[in-house]
Amino acid sequence: MAVLLSLVTSVLYGSGDFLGGLSSRRNTQTQVLLTVSLFGTLPLLCVTPFIAANFTFRDLSLGALAGILGAGGLGIFYRGLARGPMSLVAPLAAITSAVVPVTWDVATGEQPSFVCGVGILLALIAIFMGSAGHPGNDLPVSTATVLEALLAGVGFGLFFCVLGETNSESAPWPIVAGRTSAAALLLVGAAVRKASIKPVGDWLPLLGCSVCDTGANVAFLFALKYGQLAPVAVLASLYPAVTVLLARFVLSEHLNRRRIVGLWGTLGAGALVAVG
């Protein structure tokens, strides 16, 4: 069940990130994130009391912190998707978000197996292959794009780690708290900067992103009921396959040999870490 829910998480994250990246090309990160947070929170708040009646202040606090970390990572990630190729930004952020929970487990006393160590090494190689520029006539990827992808991955990884510290029986209350805290912070920031919060253009990608992202968060939290943090987080981080495929077939985004090798290396690394 943990594997199935983790894979569902990755499919929903990948689809949501693709739709969020499209929306970020016409809207600011604040407009996208606030819309996604609000449209995802209200329906979830209506059904959550029927799923879990009990929760603690600690679970809500950890959920709120996770929501802020996740929103920060998502804002940086959408910025990267809007500025750089999806087939590069998504794998870099994903493998970073996979390594962070593994490091978290090591810091708390969990020792990785040999296979897991091989997966982490392969991840580093895949990051190099995906960010070292492109041969032929392709333009080199900027350092800012690479840094944004890595920072987004750190935010996602910490989001996974903090959610992993909540009581699984309280799910999905931590997600509700996380969405609410993120939306409140975004509203305050927009008010201080006097920035517009109303999105422009087609709302359909935003609504789709909201459904996918909220569903992914809930699926991840329930996956933690049946599995350990590191393997669940790594399997959830396989979402670039979905994002890249959508970018390829919907946007006709080019995939050269180096990007393909980097993508397969990323997916292989995630599989090895999960198995290990």
Side-chain angles (χ1 to χ4, degrees):
M1 183 60 70
V3 173
L4 176 61
L5 288 172
S6 300
L7 292 177
V8 169
T9 301
S10 67
V11 171
L12 290 174
Y13 272 143
S15 302
D17 288 343
F18 175 78
L19 295 172
L22 291 180
S23 299
S24 294
R25 294 180 175 180
R26 290 189 175 184
N27 298 280
T28 65
Q29 279 69 49
T30 298
Q31 290 171 324
V32 173
L33 290 174
L34 186 56
T35 303
V36 169
S37 294
L38 290 177
F39 280 122
T41 302
L42 296 178
L44 187 60
L45 184 59
C46 294
V47 300
T48 295
F50 300 99
I51 300 175
N54 299 319
F55 57 88
T56 65
F57 178 76
R58 177 179 181 273
D59 292 326
L60 293 182
S61 299
L62 289 173
L65 175 59
I68 293 173
L69 291 170
L74 203 58
I76 298 173
F77 184 69
Y78 286 163
R79 178 180 173 86
L81 289 179
R83 293 173 48 176
M86 288 187 178
S87 51
L88 170 65
V89 174
L92 283 176
I95 200 60
T96 306
S97 69
V99 170
V100 171
V102 174
T103 305
W104 183 283
D105 272 359
V106 172
T108 55
E110 295 288 340
Q111 296 298 323
S113 65
F114 174 76
V115 175
C116 184
V118 172
I120 294 174
L121 178 61
L122 180 58
L124 297 176
I125 296 174
I127 289 174
F128 173 78
M129 292 295 293
S131 61
H134 311 292
N137 296 325
D138 288 353
L139 295 175
V141 176
S142 68
T143 302
T145 299
V146 175
L147 289 177
E148 284 173 348
L150 294 176
L151 286 174
V154 171
F156 295 153
L158 291 176
F159 169 82
F160 292 150
C161 293
V162 174
L163 274 187
E165 296 297 314
T166 63
N167 184 354
S168 60
E169 299 303 319
S170 67
W173 280 110
I175 301 299
V176 174
R179 290 292 190 176
T180 303
S181 66
L185 188 63
L186 289 166
L187 282 172
V188 172
V192 170
R193 294 183 288 107
K194 297 182 179 180
S196 173
I197 61 174
K198 182 180 180 181
V200 297
D202 190 2
W203 281 60
L204 190 59
L206 279 172
L207 295 177
C209 177
S210 177
V211 171
C212 290
D213 193 61
T214 301
N217 290 340
V218 174
F220 174 80
L221 198 55
F222 277 103
L224 291 176
K225 283 188 175 184
Y226 305 99
Q228 298 296 317
L229 171 64
V232 168
V234 172
L235 288 176
S237 297
L238 297 181
Y239 65 82
V242 178
T243 306
V244 168
L245 288 176
L246 288 173
R248 173 66 182 87
F249 292 108
V250 177
L251 302 180
S252 299
E253 190 172 284
H254 176 60
L255 295 177
N256 62 33
R257 185 175 302 175
R258 181 171 291 179
R259 286 187 189 169
I260 293 174
V261 171
L263 174 59
W264 281 108
T266 297
L267 298 179
L272 285 173
V273 173
V275 171

